């Protein structure tokens, strides 16, 4: 049976030493982020997910969810009891606003919990994870009455939420959606249509589910500018807060999927269901993107989480499995064979994984801090800078993070050899669960186009120029001192130079040839990911070198950080030049062949 132990030691290092969260307690929303509280949250969250949620991962994969003849859905064995423990322990309230029953802690601590939950059991984590996005949308765009009606019980976890975008004929191009919303005399709307791929569309974890549904009102433009957002509860809510009649929303079927089988991915049928508009008519896409952006960061955490879970199991296997001898001679002559750890190619995969995972954790948590600083930084300029950075890097965290998460999961399966292909060992589940993260909440090609086609030019390129400034300053402050820090700074500066050149190439060529932008966008997203990871490794290397110079007790931990930072410099950073050349190749060969040539 596969194992999962929440990586609390590394998380504490990132939160306390790299981000210095306890130094921000004077800012609004950070008062409760003292070191003793954050350490307690990290450790207790780690224990909870490792002991309660992780043991259900394979069970959920094997059993899946069941739709019954009456249309109701039940989750796998143990899910409901575990969710009740989750609610009773208050985990869902961690970073929710105090006005609606939350603890009001920084979002970055919520990111810690999200990573642990997804690493322990991604399918289970999706149930409360989607509710967090719905809460964000209602907080931002909902009326005071809607907020009071729905948020207290959603924050407490008594109710969960969903997001309903996709239709059978309509995925990324939401302007094509057909779900209709007819205004009613009482101010509500009758919602009619079919949505597909709706994660957590129905289940037995809570007494009510609050669906956020995109639909078009009569006479609305046929494009995406004609979309509105509606709250459509599974059970109607009476004036006193009690539950009333069942709404006209039902589950048509549960999708049979490659992975995340413990989550109920549903076809949802709305047959004149009663709903209420959120925000302004025809402005629903902007409201939904509040959910989408929160979800995209959460999906990036899923990529990290599946990489971590698969890595832990690969390390254990490599320690135990004996095959062949070290190239330099037997490492353990008294044994018939050496462990897998003696083989450089196994080490290569493990070092790539460790370097990605720990760098990505720092990037995700730094991103979570930017989310907090958009609201809590001292000055308007600082708040704007944080918003610019996280807006720019959200598609990178989602796209690059899940690409690398999936690659890591397959590499870790590779270390297991044939045993990794056998279902009972669990490595296949990490691969299958990781695969969806590259697809949902906007496929990674869409993330690349969001980055290269929209975010780069936004506000005259302000965000990307800020990122370059942050990196340049970080590199400049590392010129002297520890040799590993200096090496990482040197390689990061060169990789950033490649990113700057690729950015300039886009600015000079994309307007003349939009296909060149589309053909190079994915490589640009990957290049930005490599550079962003390097920024984190430079920050980490500085902290690790300083700790070692000060005589830190946990010498092995900090030395390993420096080794991983050097691994990024020597093995990841060189990718930047190749990615730039790929971008500058343009679209000539990509778009050259006639369609019929592909079927020849």
């Amino acid at each position: 049976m596969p194992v999962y132990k929440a990586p609390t030691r590394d998380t504490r290092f990132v939160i306390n030493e790299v981000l210095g969260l306890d130094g921000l307690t004077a800012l609004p929303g950070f008062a409760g982020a003292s070191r003793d509280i954050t350490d307690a949250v990290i450790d207790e969250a780690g224990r909870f997910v490792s002991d309660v949620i992780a043991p259900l991962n394979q069970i959920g994969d094997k059993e899946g969810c069941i739709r019954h003849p009456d249309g109701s859905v039940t989750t796998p064995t143990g899910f409901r009891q575990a969710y009740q423990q989750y609610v009773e322990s208050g985990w869902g309230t961690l970073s929710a606003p105090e006005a609606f029953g939350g603890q009001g802690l920084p979002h970055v601590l919520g990111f810690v919990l999200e990573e642990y939950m997804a690493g322990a059991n991604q399918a289970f984590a999706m149930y409360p994870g989607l509710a967090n996005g719905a809460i964000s949308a209602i907080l931002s765009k909902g009326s005071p009455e809607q907020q009071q009606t729905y948020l207290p019980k959603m924050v407490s976890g008594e109710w969960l939420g969903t997001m309903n975008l996709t239709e059978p004929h309509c995925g990324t191009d939401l302007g094509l959606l057909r779900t209709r919303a007819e205004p009613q005399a009482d101010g509500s709307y009758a919602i009619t249509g079919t949505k597909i791929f709706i994660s957590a569309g129905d289940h037995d974890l809570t007494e009510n589910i609050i669906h956020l549904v995109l639909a078009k009102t009569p006479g609305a433009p046929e494009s995406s500018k004609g979309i509105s957002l509606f709250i459509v509860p599974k059970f109607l809510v009476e004036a006193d807060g009690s539950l009333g009649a069942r709404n006209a929303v039902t589950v048509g079927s549960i999708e049979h999927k490659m992975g995340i089988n413990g989550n109920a991915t549903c076809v949802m049928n709305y047959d004149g269901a009663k709903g209420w508009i959120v925000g302004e008519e025809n402005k629903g896409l902007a409201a939904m993107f509040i959910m989408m952006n929160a979800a995209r960061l959460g999906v990036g955490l899923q990529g990290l989480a599946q990489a971590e879970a698969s890595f832990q199991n690969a390390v254990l296997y490599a320690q135990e499995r004996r095959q062949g001898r070290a190239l330099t001679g037997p490492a353990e002559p008294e044994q018939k064979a050496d462990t897998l750890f003696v083989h450089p190619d196994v080490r290569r995969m493990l070092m790539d994984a460790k370097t990605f995972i720990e760098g990505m954790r720092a990037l995700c948590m730094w991103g979570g801090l930017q989310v907090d600083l958009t609201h809590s930084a001292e000055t308007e300029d600082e708040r704007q800078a944080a918003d610019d950075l996280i807006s720019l890097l959200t598609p990178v965290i989602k796209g690059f993070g899940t690409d690398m998460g999936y690659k890591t999961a397959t590499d870790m399966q590779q270390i297991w050899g044939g045993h990794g292909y056998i279902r009972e060992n669990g490595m296949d589940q990490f691969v299958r669960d990781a695969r969806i993260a590259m697809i949902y909440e906007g496929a990674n090609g869409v993330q690349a186009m969001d980055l290269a086609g929209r975010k780069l030019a936004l506000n005259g390129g302000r965000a990307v120029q800020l990122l370059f400034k942050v990196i340049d300053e970080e590199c400049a402050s590392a010129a002297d001192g520890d040799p590993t820090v200096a090496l990482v700074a040197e390689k990061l500066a060169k990789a950033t130079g490649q990113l700057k050149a690729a950015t300039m190439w886009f600015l000079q060529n994309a307007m003349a040839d939009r296909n060149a932008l589309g053909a190079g966008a994915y490589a640009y997203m990957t290049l930005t990911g490599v550079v962003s990871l390097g920024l984190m490794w430079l920050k980490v290397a500085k902290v690790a070198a300083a700790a070692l110079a000060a005589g830190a007790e946990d010498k092995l931990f900090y030395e390993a950080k420096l080794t991983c930072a050097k691994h990024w410099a020597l093995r990841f950073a060189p990718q930047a030049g190749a990615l730039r050349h790929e971008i500058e190749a343009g679209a000539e060969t990509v778009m050259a062949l006639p369609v019929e040539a592909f079927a020849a």
Side-chain angles (χ1 to χ4, degrees):
M1 180 178 178
V3 300
Y4 177 78
K5 182 180 180 182
T8 54
R9 174 66 181 93
D10 194 51
T11 304
R12 288 197 305 274
F13 168 74
V14 173
I15 296 294
N16 297 327
E17 299 180 60
V18 179
L19 301 185
L21 200 65
D22 60 345
L24 302 175
T25 52
L27 296 178
F30 285 84
S34 61
R35 187 157 183 165
D36 57 336
I37 290 177
T38 57
D39 282 353
V41 168
I42 291 166
D43 290 342
E44 287 303 316
R47 271 192 286 272
F48 176 76
V49 299
S50 301
D51 295 345
V52 177
I53 308 301
L56 301 175
N57 198 29
Q58 274 196 311
I59 293 171
D61 187 52
K62 292 175 181 177
E63 291 187 9
C65 297
I66 299 173
R67 178 189 179 277
H68 300 283
D70 64 357
S72 63
V73 174
T74 53
T75 52
T77 302
F79 272 45
R80 185 169 185 176
Q81 293 77 11
Y83 182 74
Q84 290 307 309
Q85 290 185 58
Y86 171 88
V87 172
E88 290 164 7
S89 300
W91 288 116
T93 69
L94 201 62
S95 54
E98 294 178 272
F100 298 103
Q103 299 180 51
L105 290 171
H107 285 87
V108 66
L109 291 178
F111 277 33
V112 171
L113 178 64
E114 284 191 59
E115 185 211 327
Y116 291 179
M117 291 277 285
N121 190 327
Q122 182 171 321
F124 181 94
M126 290 169 66
Y127 290 103
L130 286 161
N132 291 335
I135 289 169
S136 297
I138 296 172
L139 267 174
S140 179
K141 298 295 184 180
S143 67
E145 181 184 9
Q146 289 171 341
Q147 292 175 0
Q148 289 299 328
T149 299
Y150 299 105
L151 290 183
K153 290 195 174 182
M154 293 179 75
V155 166
S156 71
E158 293 174 74
W159 298 348
L160 285 175
T162 71
M163 51 195 297
N164 284 234
L165 291 78
T166 308
E167 299 183 6
H169 62 286
C170 160
T172 301
D173 190 355
L174 291 171
L176 299 176
L177 67 81
R178 296 172 184 160
T179 299
R180 298 293 166 182
E182 297 287 341
Q184 305 297 296
D186 62 358
S188 67
Y189 289 77
I191 312 297
T192 301
T194 297
K195 300 287 185 177
I196 64 170
F197 304 157
I198 307 306
S199 301
D202 197 60
H203 50 75
D204 58 352
L205 303 184
T206 57
E207 62 181 4
N208 204 5
I209 303 171
I210 310 304
H211 302 291
L212 267 66
V213 184
L214 290 183
K216 289 187 174 181
T217 55
E222 286 302 314
S223 69
S224 61
K225 295 180 180 179
I227 297 173
S228 300
L229 181 66
F230 299 87
I231 289 176
V232 186
K234 176 180 177 179
F235 286 95
L236 301 178
V237 181
E238 302 292 349
D240 62 0
S242 63
L243 296 185
R246 174 70 187 261
N247 210 348
V249 51
T250 57
V251 175
S253 63
I254 296 177
E255 304 285 4
H256 299 281
K257 309 185 295 293
M258 176 178 171
I260 54 167
N261 293 315
N263 194 271
T265 306
C266 300
V267 174
M268 305 295 295
N269 295 322
Y270 292 85
D271 300 305
K274 188 176 284 288
W276 289 266
I277 197 166
V278 179
E280 298 180 50
E281 187 174 355
N282 298 334
K283 297 292 181 65
L285 203 57
M288 182 60 81
F289 265 105
I290 295 169
M291 289 186 71
M292 289 289 289
N293 285 329
R296 285 170 176 174
L297 291 170
V299 173
L301 286 164
Q302 290 177 0
L304 164 63
Q306 293 306 303
E308 171 68 43
S310 60
F311 173 72
Q312 289 184 16
N313 286 275
V315 168
L316 288 173
Y317 187 76
Q319 289 173 326
E320 297 170 357
R321 178 72 167 172
R322 293 185 177 275
Q323 290 283 287
R325 289 297 192 184
L327 296 175
T328 54
E332 298 180 73
E334 70 282 4
Q335 299 288 341
K336 292 183 178 180
D338 293 329
T339 68
L340 293 181
F341 259 99
V342 305
H343 302 301
D345 193 57
V346 172
R347 288 280 194 138
R348 173 188 62 82
M349 288 186 282
L350 290 172
M351 278 302 297
D352 283 353
K354 185 174 176 66
T355 301
F356 163 69
I357 290 165
E358 294 180 11
M360 191 67 194
R361 179 170 296 118
L363 180 60
C364 287
M365 298 310 150
W366 184 72
L369 179 60
Q370 303 314 306
V371 172
D372 288 309
L373 293 177
T374 60
H375 306 289
S376 302
E378 288 185 358
T379 69
E380 176 57 33
D381 285 347
E382 290 173 322
R383 291 191 288 274
Q384 184 64 68
D387 188 60
D388 284 346
L389 286 171
I390 193 57
S391 295
L392 178 74
L393 291 177
T394 290
V396 178
I397 289 172
K398 195 280 185 187
F400 177 74
T402 58
D403 279 353
M404 287 295 294
Y406 178 71
K407 179 185 182 301
T408 301
T410 59
D411 282 352
M412 298 305 96
Q413 184 187 40
Q414 185 77 8
I415 288 172
W416 276 67
H419 294 287
Y421 205 67
I422 303 303
R423 178 161 291 188
E424 67 188 68
N425 292 321
M427 297 303 289
D428 73 303
Q429 185 184 352
F430 299 131
V431 173
R432 290 183 288 106
D433 286 356
R435 187 64 184 87
I436 185 58
M438 301 164 71
I439 299 172
Y440 60 14
E441 309 308 343
N444 286 357
V446 174
Q447 303 302 316
M449 282 302 295
D450 179 41
L451 173 67
R454 195 169 73 88
K455 297 291 176 61
L456 277 190
L458 204 61
N459 300 309
R462 186 178 68 200
V464 74
Q465 292 302 322
L466 175 59
L467 178 64
F468 293 154
K469 181 174 182 287
V470 169
I471 294 171
D472 290 345
E473 290 176 352
E474 200 75 48
C475 291
S477 66
D480 301 318
D482 184 89
T484 299
V485 174
L487 173 66
V488 175
E490 175 196 346
K491 298 298 185 181
L492 176 58
K494 289 181 178 179
T496 305
Q498 302 285 9
L499 180 59
K500 290 176 180 177
T503 304
M504 184 58 66
W505 188 89
F506 268 155
L507 294 176
Q508 293 172 342
N509 293 276
M511 292 306 295
D513 182 3
R514 299 297 289 176
N515 282 336
L517 177 70
Y522 213 102
Y524 188 87
M525 178 184 72
T526 306
L527 174 53
T528 308
V530 170
V531 168
S532 300
L533 208 66
L535 172 61
M536 294 302 111
W537 274 116
L538 181 54
K539 288 176 176 289
V540 167
K542 288 179 179 180
V543 173
L548 288 168
E553 292 183 4
D554 197 351
K555 189 177 178 183
L556 180 64
F557 179 85
Y558 293 107
E559 287 178 341
K561 289 294 182 187
L562 288 177
T563 300
C564 286
K566 188 173 184 178
H567 190 80
W568 176 88
L570 298 179
R571 293 277 183 158
F572 283 63
Q575 299 169 22
L579 289 164
R580 175 192 166 186
H581 288 309
E582 183 179 341
I583 292 163
E584 293 179 354
E588 179 184 354
T589 58
V590 172
M591 304 302 293
L593 291 182
V595 173
E596 55 269 23
F598 288 93

